[in-house]
Amino acid sequence: MSVNSRAARALKEILQKPGNDTCADCGVPDPTWGSCTLGVFICLECSGIHRNIPDISKVKSLSLSHWEDHELKFMAENGNEAMKGKYESAVPVYYYKPTHRDCQVLREQWIRAKYERKEFCEAVNSFRYEEGTRDGVLMKRGRDNGQFLSRRFVLSEREGTLKYFTKYDAKEPKAVIKVDTINATFQPEKIGNPNGLQITYLKDYSTRNIFVYHENGKEIVDWFNSIRAVQLHYLKVAFPGATDAELVPKLTRNFLKEGHMEKTGPKQTEGFKKRWFTLDHRRLMYFKDPLDAFAKGEVFLGNRDHGYSASAGLPPGTHCNGAWQHGITIVTPDRCFLFTCETESDQQDWLKHFNDVMSAQMSPQEFTMEALFKHRH
C-alpha cells in the first residue's frame, strides 16, 4: 500500500471521530484541510486564515498533501473536540463566535484570539472586553456628505452608553446612545471596507444607522465584543432571574435579510420606487440608499394570528409600472403593503423570511413595540 493511500485511510478514520466532521473554527460540515501543528480539522476558507499565522499553524490538504506518520498520530491523539477543550475552554458567553456565514474579519479575529493570543485558555482570568469602559477613535461616515472622518467613541458600562464626539477634546458628545437599544452588525460590502460595522439604535422610537470602521481588524472586533459585554451586563440587571442562554440571543443580531425591492405608496396608485430593505427581526425598514442614516419608513411584522400575512403576487388591478414583476403583498391590521422583486428566487426568499417571522410567538417586549408602532403611525 502506498504512503499516500495509507495516509488517506488513516485520515478517513480520524475524521470519523466526534467533532472532526465539521470545521473546528466556523462549523461548516466536511472539512478538507487540517492543521498538523494544532491538531484540528478545518475548511478551505479557515485554512487561508491559518496560513497567515504560520508560526502557530501549519495547514495541509487532507487529499493532496503528503502526511508524515507522526503528523497522523498527532491528529489522531488530538482532533477538534480535544482542542476545543483546550483553546475554547473559557470563551465568555457574550463573545460572538462566528460561523461560515460571517465575514472575514470576524472569523480571522476569532481564529487569532483562540490560537495566536490564546485568549480563551483556562489560564486567562480577565478579558479586556469587560474593562467597563472603552475609549478610542473609529472612522465614521458623515450623515450628509458620505465621507468617513475620525471620531472619538466612548463606551461606558457604568452609564450604559456609547457616545461619540466630533472632536477628540470636545466637552459635549454629538450623540449619546443607550446600549440597550444598540444593534451592531458587520457589513463590509455595504460599507465598502472589510472592517465595516453598522451600528443601529433607537432615537425617539426611530431607528438610526451609523457606519464605522477601523483599519485594524482586531480593534473593530474588540469594540463589537465590548458592546456585547456591556449589553449582557445590563440584561442581567434588567432580568435577574434569566439564564445566559436566554440573554445571549438578546445581544447584537445579524439582519435576517437585506436587499432591493420596489414599493408603492399607501394609496397603491403611486409609481413603484426602488428602495433598500432591511429585515431586522420584526421590523422591515426601507431606505432610499443602503447607507442612509434614517429609514424612510418601516413595517412592523406581528404574529399571523393577529392579522398579519405575507403572500406572493399583487391584488388584481394593481398598476405595476416598475421593471420588476414578482410581487409580494404584506397585510397588517392597519393596511396593505405592496412590493415587487427582481427575480422569483428573491421573492421566494423574502416570503420565507416574512412567514418565519410571522409564525414566531411574540414576546411581551414585542407587543409593547407593536403598540408603540401603531401609536406612532
Side-chain angles (χ1 to χ4, degrees), residues 324-327 340-350:
W324 297 356
Q325 300 301 314
H326 304 276
T340 55
C341 301
E342 188 173 16
T343 64
E344 189 182 354
S345 65
D346 210 19
Q347 173 205 45
Q348 293 305 313
D349 195 40
W350 277 111

Side-chain angles (χ1 to χ4, degrees), residues 281-282 300 360-371:
H281 196 45
R282 292 196 183 276
F300 182 84
Q361 291 302 312
M362 278 170 62
S363 68
Q365 290 93 328
E366 287 169 347
F367 280 112
T368 308
M369 191 196 287
E370 181 185 38

Side-chain angles (χ1 to χ4, degrees), residues 91-98 105-111 113 117 119-120 127-132 134 155 157 179 182 184-186 197 199 217-233 248 251-252:
V91 182
V93 288
Y94 57 77
Y95 190 96
Y96 185 83
K97 289 164 77 165
V105 69
L106 270 172
R107 289 197 319 215
E108 176 165 354
Q109 291 310 315
W110 165 235
I111 288 168
R117 302 194 290 270
E119 281 186 28
F120 314 122
F127 294 99
R128 65 180 166 281
Y129 319 107
E130 294 168 24
E131 285 166 0
R134 187 172 190 90
L155 176 69
E157 185 181 281
V179 288
I182 287 180
T185 168
F186 278 88
L197 184 70
I199 294 173
K218 177 181 176 297
E219 188 70 18
I220 197 74
V221 174
D222 284 358
W223 270 100
F224 177 66
N225 281 303
S226 296
I227 288 169
R228 288 173 61 91
V230 173
Q231 286 183 325
L232 184 66
H233 170 82
V248 168
L251 303 180
T252 62

Side-chain angles (χ1 to χ4, degrees), residues 15-24 31 41 79-81 84:
L15 280 166
Q16 310 288 305
K17 286 172 73 173
N20 290 347
D21 57 343
T22 58
C23 173
F41 293 94
N80 292 2
E81 290 289 301
K84 211 167 252 193

Side-chain angles (χ1 to χ4, degrees), residues 188-240:
E189 292 84 12
K190 198 160 90 172
I191 293 171
N193 184 286
N195 304 336
L197 184 70
Q198 178 174 348
I199 294 173
T200 64
Y201 61 96
L202 288 179
K203 187 180 181 193
D204 307 326
Y205 300 114
S206 284
T207 304
R208 163 87 157 96
N209 296 320
I210 57 176
F211 302 94
V212 298
Y213 71 84
H214 195 285
E215 285 304 339
N216 181 309
K218 177 181 176 297
E219 188 70 18
I220 197 74
V221 174
D222 284 358
W223 270 100
F224 177 66
N225 281 303
S226 296
I227 288 169
R228 288 173 61 91
V230 173
Q231 286 183 325
L232 184 66
H233 170 82
Y234 267 76
L235 285 167
K236 283 180 182 263
V237 173
F239 304 98

